[in-house]
């Protein structure tokens, strides 16, 4: 089916962390809505797999192996996307790494730096290069992936929590800097999402890290985490792409600098 009259027909979306759970699910939603896709992630093989998963959608898809911590690589990829696809209308700035779990006094320094490099510097590199292009066109819609960890500061996650607070700050600043150029910048903050690797890893590592907030038994930790969420269940990855699409689309035309939690908890 031709994508001509779909809501995002004629738009080009750059998605980072596109081979991961949230990135790929969101890429699929944007393709269904007619957007052409530029998929960015760390390695080529994972991106090939992501492209294969998206086969059947009548949109252009390009893949770009890139480490977002490397400003030069990011600049080259953004140039390549603009050359190859003509423009970037939407950015889903989503690549991220959860880091270690340990009380702040024991938190490994090297991991703290790595989390900051990926989650903060990486997101900044992508944002600045894409924004520079969007400014030349006077149009752009950007969604950064923060986290409820950037709203409430969970125990044992010093680096991740700090990095996601930084993303919300970056979103607020960028929204102000870019509003005069017709560019809106918002953030989403997923809470506990599952099932899958991230959920299992969090439950296991919170139990192992030990704190007065969580049990040392992973089954009990899972119960405690779910008990902190008003809806008493974890969110599904499929509950995220619609929120991103809303923020990229014109139903949110008066929203910028906003962080949307999906949902409470932590
Ligand atoms: N899943 C959750 O529970 C949850 C909750 C809140 C926020 N988030 C955030 O959502 C985003 C996506 O997470 P996910 O759940 O899809 O995890 P994921 O691990 O499935 O996906 C993350 C992707 O980012 C990529 N990535 C990591 N470092 C990179 C780098 N240096 N350069 C380029 N790509 C890199 C990875 O290769 C991976 O494909 C992250 O920012 C994460 O912090 C996730």
């Amino acid at each position: 089916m031709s994508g001509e009259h779909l809501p995002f027909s004629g738009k080009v979306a750059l998605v980072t962390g596109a081979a991961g759970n949230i990135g790929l699910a969101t890429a699929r939603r944007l393709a269904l809505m007619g957007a052409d896709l530029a998929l960015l992630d760390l390695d080529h093989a994972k991106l090939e797999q992501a492209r294969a998963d998206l086969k059947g959608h009548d949109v252009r898809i390009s893949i770009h192996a890139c480490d977002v911590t490397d400003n030069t690589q990011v600049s080259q990829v953004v140039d390549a996307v603009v050359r190859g696809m003509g423009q970037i209308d939407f950015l889903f700035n989503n690549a991220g790494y959860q880091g270690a779990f340990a009380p702040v006094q024991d938190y490994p320094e090297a991991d703290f730096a790595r989390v900051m490099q990926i989650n903060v510097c990486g997101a900044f590199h992508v944002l600045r290069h894409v924004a520079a292009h969007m400014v030349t066109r006077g149009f752009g819609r950007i969604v950064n992936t923060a986290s409820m960890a950037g709203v409430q500061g969970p125990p044992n996650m010093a680096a991740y929590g700090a990095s996601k607070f930084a993303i919300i700050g970056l979103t607020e600043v960028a929204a102000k800097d870019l509003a005069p150029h017709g560019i809106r910048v918002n953030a989403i903050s997923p809470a506990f999402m599952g099932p899958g690797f991230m959920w299992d890893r969090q439950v296991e590592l919170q139990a192992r890290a030990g704190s007065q907030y969580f049990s040392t038994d992973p089954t009990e930790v899972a119960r405690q985490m779910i008990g902190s969420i008003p809806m008493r269940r974890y969110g599904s990855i499929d509950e995220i792409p619609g929120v991103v699409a809303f923020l990229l689309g014109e139903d949110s035309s008066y929203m910028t600098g906003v962080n949307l939690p999906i949902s409470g908890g932590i």
Side-chain angles (χ1 to χ4, degrees):
M1 187 180 80
S2 159
E4 264 162 49
H5 35 266
L6 294 171
F8 289 166
S9 295
K11 299 286 194 236
V12 177
L14 172 61
V15 177
T16 78
N21 292 316
I22 295 173
L24 183 56
T26 304
R28 185 173 296 115
R29 174 68 63 98
L30 299 181
L32 272 171
M33 296 175 77
D36 292 326
L37 298 173
L39 308 179
L40 183 158
D41 208 300
L42 269 179
D43 76 75
H44 198 77
K46 275 175 72 179
L47 283 165
E48 284 289 12
Q49 184 57 52
R51 177 157 62 186
D53 287 355
L54 294 167
K55 218 172 68 187
H57 295 287
D58 186 19
V59 298
R60 293 182 295 161
I61 300 177
S62 64
I63 58 175
H64 306 270
C66 173
D67 183 342
V68 295
T69 67
D70 184 332
N71 183 52
T72 307
Q73 272 186 43
V74 172
S75 164
Q76 288 165 350
V77 165
V78 170
D79 286 351
V81 174
V82 171
R83 256 196 328 273
M85 314 279 268
Q87 77 227 34
I88 301 171
D89 303 280
F90 300 153
L91 167 63
F92 184 39
N93 198 9
N94 166 74
Y97 162 60
Q98 202 176 38
F101 283 67
V104 67
Q105 67 276 21
D106 301 328
Y107 199 93
E109 190 188 340
D111 189 78
F112 191 96
R114 185 169 171 227
V115 172
M116 290 298 155
Q117 273 300 318
I118 297 172
N119 293 4
V120 183
C121 300
F124 168 65
H125 296 150
V126 176
L127 175 66
R128 69 194 289 253
H129 290 296
V130 172
H133 160 71
M134 288 174 167
V135 164
T136 65
R137 298 182 63 228
F139 178 89
R141 306 285 178 255
I142 296 172
V143 175
N144 297 318
T145 304
S147 168
M148 278 308 284
V151 177
Q152 292 179 323
N156 295 316
M157 299 181 78
Y160 189 74
S163 76
K164 295 301 188 177
F165 268 85
I167 288 298
I168 294 169
L170 181 64
T171 300
E172 292 185 9
V173 173
K176 292 185 179 113
D177 290 350
L178 296 172
H181 302 282
I183 301 166
R184 294 194 288 111
V185 188
N186 293 294
I188 57 162
S189 280
F192 296 129
M193 311 308 293
F197 172 72
M198 268 241 187
W199 170 256
D200 293 343
R201 182 176 187 271
Q202 254 179 111
V203 166
E204 279 294 326
L205 295 185
Q206 280 293 18
R208 227 182 288 160
S211 71
Q212 64 180 350
Y213 308 101
F214 292 115
S215 165
T216 50
D217 169 11
T219 312
E220 181 55 23
V221 172
R223 217 171 294 135
Q224 289 171 318
M225 284 182 170
I226 285 172
S228 74
I229 298 170
M231 292 168 87
R232 293 294 189 269
R233 64 172 176 84
Y234 48 63
S236 129
I237 297 293
D238 292 334
E239 290 174 300
I240 295 176
V243 182
V244 180
F246 164 70
L247 290 173
L248 293 175
E250 293 315 301
D251 283 344
S252 61
S253 56
Y254 195 50
M255 292 172 70
T256 197
V258 170
N259 173 47
L260 285 187
I262 316 169
S263 168
I266 298 190

